[in-house]
């Protein structure tokens, strides 16, 4: 059996789709599962254990008819048996119909007339379970499995060496994942948590648990943020998120991860690290499974900046 999944969206959406892909592989061990995703999201599949090939296509771009035609041709050439999509646009439905793939599964919506198996969309649940509902179109009615990842050995070895470099190999550590102003602008969002609040939180950690190292995860374009936080906390430890496998390995070794709403929270869920997540307007139950290990702090106004640092610290110490 050959299956193709059209998974638009960011890295977080890809990771939340892992349980769906993994369950197909569990029920059909010999299936070849390919994914069509945007170039910015291809990196997510470094930690997938079930995907055979990743095909890139920029769904959000202003694609010409020739671009869409090339996508149709690519899928027709591979002679897939099943196509799955969680997009609801009529265009995606039309594209799947044009491929001639016999089983076409997606959520009910504008494009469902082109599908062979339209599935009711239930947004009032954990997103991974929402995507997993699509497998009903393949006759799979099992409960959504837990989110898991498969980290390359080289990334695990890198994390061990990075922990030694930072001097945290034997002490444990708290990992803080921050979206800086620079990264937010690149992603087209302004939903960030103020750096002065992070400084307050980190200094409180260092005062109450001086033996527990704090590691801040920065992205390669975060030079201004790194410089600012080091000015306030000269001894802060900083690591760069070079790839998703290395980041997952570092999250797995942490005693606690503290983060704003970001793709790495799903990696933390996958490796079962205790996690506290700051949410703006998003409903936490859609992005975190029910578990005492994963705690949410939701802004009363829908803006991350309106969550007081004291509220975060109360959750940390009273969590």
């Amino acid at each position: 059996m050959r299956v193709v999944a059209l998974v638009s969206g960011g890295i977080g959406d890809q990771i939340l789709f892992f349980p769906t892909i993994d369950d197909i592989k569990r029920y059909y061990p010999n299936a070849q599962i390919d994914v069509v995703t945007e170039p910015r999201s291809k990196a997510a599949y470094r930690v997938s254990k079930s995907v055979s090939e990743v095909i890139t296509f920029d769904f959000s771009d202003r694609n010409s008819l020739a671009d869409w035609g090339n996508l149709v041709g690519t899928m027709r050439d591979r002679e897939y048996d099943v196509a799955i999509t969680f997009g609801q646009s009529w265009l995606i439905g039309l594209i799947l119909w044009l491929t001639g793939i016999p089983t076409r599964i997606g959520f009910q919506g504008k494009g469902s007339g082109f599908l062979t198996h339209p599935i009711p969309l239930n947004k009032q649940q954990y997103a991974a379970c929402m995507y997993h509902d699509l497998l009903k179109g393949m006759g799979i009615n099992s409960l959504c499995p837990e989110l898991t990842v498969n980290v390359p050995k080289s990334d695990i070895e890198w994390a061990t060496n990075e922990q030694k470099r930072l001097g945290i190999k034997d002490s444990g550590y708290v990992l803080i994942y921050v979206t800086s102003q620079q990264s937010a602008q690149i992603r087209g969002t302004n939903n960030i948590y103020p750096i002065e609040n992070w400084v307050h939180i980190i200094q409180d950690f260092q005062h109450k648990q001086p033996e527990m190292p704090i590691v801040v995860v920065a992205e390669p374009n975060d030079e201004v943020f790194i410089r600012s936080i080091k000015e306030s906390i000269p001894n802060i430890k900083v690591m760069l998120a070079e790839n998703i496998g290395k980041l997952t390995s570092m999250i797995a070794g942490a005693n606690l991860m503290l983060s704003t709403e970001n793709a790495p929270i799903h990696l933390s869920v996958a490796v079962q690290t205790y996690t506290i997540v700051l949410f703006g307007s998003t409903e936490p139950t859609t992005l975190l499974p029910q578990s005492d290990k994963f705690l949410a702090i939701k802004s009363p106004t829908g803006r991350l900046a309106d969550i007081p640092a004291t509220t975060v610290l109360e959750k940390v110490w009273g969590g």
Side-chain angles (χ1 to χ4, degrees):
M1 175 186 289
R2 301 197 68 176
V3 179
V4 62
L6 279 65
V7 191
S8 57
I11 286 180
D13 296 297
Q14 314 304 310
I15 299 170
L16 286 166
F17 200 67
F18 281 10
T20 300
I21 298 170
D22 292 344
D23 236 12
I24 296 174
K25 199 68 173 177
R26 182 162 69 94
Y27 278 86
Y28 300 97
N30 297 321
Q32 176 177 320
I33 304 170
D34 297 343
V35 168
V36 181
T37 191
E38 297 172 35
R40 65 189 174 104
S41 303
K42 182 179 179 180
Y45 293 94
R46 183 179 181 87
V47 292
S48 171
K49 60 186 177 182
S50 300
V51 170
S52 300
E53 182 181 0
V54 179
I55 302 165
T56 57
F57 184 83
D58 196 344
F59 293 100
S60 59
D61 197 9
R62 294 183 177 180
N63 296 295
S64 66
L65 288 176
D67 294 326
W68 289 109
N70 288 336
L71 178 61
V72 170
T74 296
M75 290 193 286
R76 288 182 70 94
D77 289 345
R78 285 167 169 77
E79 298 182 344
Y80 292 113
D81 303 291
V82 178
I84 301 174
T85 178
F86 59 65
Q88 292 180 283
S89 75
W90 69 268
L91 180 56
I92 295 298
L94 173 62
I95 293 300
L96 289 184
W97 178 74
L98 290 173
T99 64
I101 297 172
T103 300
R104 302 181 299 278
I105 305 167
F107 289 121
Q108 290 178 352
K110 294 179 180 178
S112 59
F114 296 105
L115 304 174
T116 59
H117 296 77
I119 305 298
L121 174 61
N122 177 11
K123 292 184 177 181
Q124 307 303 314
Q125 58 178 327
Y126 179 40
C129 297
M130 178 182 73
Y131 298 148
H132 190 265
D133 285 346
L134 290 167
L135 294 188
K136 294 174 183 177
M138 296 179 68
I140 299 173
N141 295 293
S142 61
L143 294 176
C144 180
E146 290 186 348
L147 177 58
T148 60
V149 292
N150 185 47
V151 182
K153 183 179 178 181
S154 60
D155 292 340
I156 297 173
E157 292 172 347
W158 177 90
T160 299
N161 292 330
E162 181 71 356
Q163 290 164 4
K164 291 177 181 177
R165 181 187 73 82
L166 294 170
I168 58 176
K169 180 68 175 68
D170 301 315
S171 62
Y173 52 95
V174 173
L175 200 66
I176 295 180
Y177 192 95
V178 177
T179 298
S180 70
Q181 185 73 50
Q182 289 167 284
S183 295
Q185 288 175 347
I186 291 172
R187 296 171 188 171
T189 178
N190 195 37
N191 200 15
I192 62 172
Y193 199 55
I195 188 169
E196 57 268 24
N197 288 26
W198 284 122
V199 170
H200 182 180
I201 291 166
I202 293 168
Q203 289 176 336
D204 189 79
F205 260 109
Q206 292 179 331
H207 174 71
K208 291 181 178 176
Q209 289 195 351
E211 74 288 349
M212 178 63 71
I214 308 294
V215 179
V216 173
V217 180
E219 297 183 0
N221 57 359
D222 284 347
E223 298 90 352
V224 174
F225 167 76
I226 294 170
R227 185 167 61 250
S228 297
I229 201 163
K230 282 188 172 181
E231 287 174 356
S232 301
I233 310 173
N235 64 339
I236 191 67
K237 299 178 186 295
V238 178
M239 66 158 282
L240 292 178
E242 296 181 3
N243 71 46
I244 197 168
K246 293 176 180 179
L247 177 59
T248 304
S249 295
M250 287 298 291
I251 293 173
N255 298 59
L256 168 71
M257 185 168 89
L258 181 61
S259 175
T260 53
E261 176 195 334
N262 274 304
I265 68 175
H266 308 306
L267 301 175
S268 194
V269 169
V271 298
Q272 294 287 301
T273 292
Y274 283 97
T275 307
I276 298 176
V277 184
L278 281 61
F279 285 92
S281 59
T282 305
E283 178 53 50
T285 56
T286 64
L287 292 183
L288 288 178
Q290 291 187 350
S291 171
D292 293 338
K293 284 190 172 183
F294 314 123
L295 305 177
I297 302 174
K298 192 172 187 312
S299 169
T301 65
R303 296 179 66 251
L304 280 176
D306 292 336
I307 301 176
T310 51
T311 299
V312 178
L313 290 167
E314 286 171 3
K315 181 69 75 170
V316 169
W317 302 123

